[in-house]
Amino acid sequence: MTNQQIIAATQAWLKTFVIEYNICPFARREQEKGSIRYRVVSSNSIEDSLEAVIAECVHLDSEPDTETTLLIFSEAFTDFEDFLDLLAIAEQLLIDQGYEGIYQLASFHPDYCFAQTQEDDPSNYTNRSPYPMLHLIREDSIEKAVASHPDPDGIPERNIALTRELGLEKLRAIVNACYQQ
């Protein structure tokens, strides 16, 4: 797939799942403002991937109108355990590069599975996406968004209940439809 097709699938997932089902109550505003940056990393190299993480931090530093970045790994980290290794290294890299407290990473993967959760539990879909990706988020924006939400602590529980209500078949269909975009 081309980078544009990969981005289109990611945007479809964001619109038809994350926003449509209010998985992240803060996503709609940024999508409507056009302040989400999508970047595809097609390298299989962990070094290139980590360089891309820092490059996105630098971009966010210099572009205040870009609220957040979805860093999409089109070729690498298809194995969930390998992806978790990348996440751990990237989180440490943010600390080492002085970005702790400035940017936060959220993670999404086609095979996402929360610890202590069965692989086929629909609640895993709160973090399942068409491609492995890291979401770079401005910490100050998170603080403002959480402060303005009436029940930020209830979001995860609501999402777990919703995904279990929707069921595996519907959730799989939603994600699979994103590839048709």
Side-chain angles (χ1 to χ4, degrees):
M1 295 183 80
T2 67
N3 285 357
Q4 190 51 45
Q5 290 170 315
I6 292 164
I7 290 170
T10 302
Q11 290 171 326
W13 165 77
L14 183 69
K15 183 178 178 186
T16 63
F17 180 62
V18 175
I19 293 172
E20 179 72 23
Y21 290 95
N22 205 30
I23 299 299
C24 174
F26 317 114
R28 179 182 305 275
R29 177 176 165 239
E30 301 314 321
Q31 189 260 350
E32 289 174 352
K33 284 177 34 182
S35 63
I36 301 170
R37 177 173 156 96
Y38 301 86
R39 174 140 184 247
V40 176
V41 178
S42 55
S43 173
N44 288 327
S45 160
I46 193 160
E47 292 82 7
D48 291 345
S49 299
L50 294 170
E51 285 178 15
V53 169
I54 295 303
E56 285 310 303
C57 290
V58 170
H59 175 84
L60 290 168
D61 285 346
S62 65
E63 297 293 334
D65 290 339
T66 303
E67 183 61 35
T68 190
T69 296
L70 289 173
L71 198 56
I72 309 160
F73 300 95
S74 62
E75 304 291 328
F77 311 110
T78 56
D79 178 83
F80 184 57
E81 294 301 319
D82 290 344
F83 177 74
L84 291 178
D85 290 343
L86 168 71
L87 175 62
I89 296 167
E91 287 175 334
Q92 185 60 51
L93 182 62
L94 289 182
I95 293 167
D96 294 346
Q97 296 295 311
Y99 286 112
E100 183 177 26
I102 299 171
Y103 302 116
Q104 183 180 111
L105 292 174
S107 57
F108 301 92
H109 191 278
D111 297 323
Y112 205 98
C113 186
F114 289 102
Q116 311 304 318
T117 304
Q118 296 297 316
E119 194 173 309
D120 63 349
D121 187 321
S123 68
N124 291 315
Y125 274 82
T126 62
N127 285 62
R128 286 197 179 167
S129 57
Y131 297 94
M133 69 178 84
L134 293 176
H135 180 192
L136 284 94
I137 312 164
R138 296 177 188 275
E139 291 243 357
D140 62 342
S141 296
I142 292 171
E143 291 171 13
K144 289 176 190 169
V146 167
S148 70
H149 193 276
D151 183 22
D153 293 334
I155 294 169
E157 291 81 17
R158 178 212 166 269
N159 288 343
I160 289 168
L162 173 65
T163 53
R164 289 179 176 161
E165 179 183 320
L166 290 171
L168 279 175
E169 187 174 317
K170 174 132 180 125
L171 293 165
R172 286 180 180 140
I174 291 168
V175 173
N176 288 337
C178 296
Y179 294 108
Q180 309 306 315
Q181 303 300 315

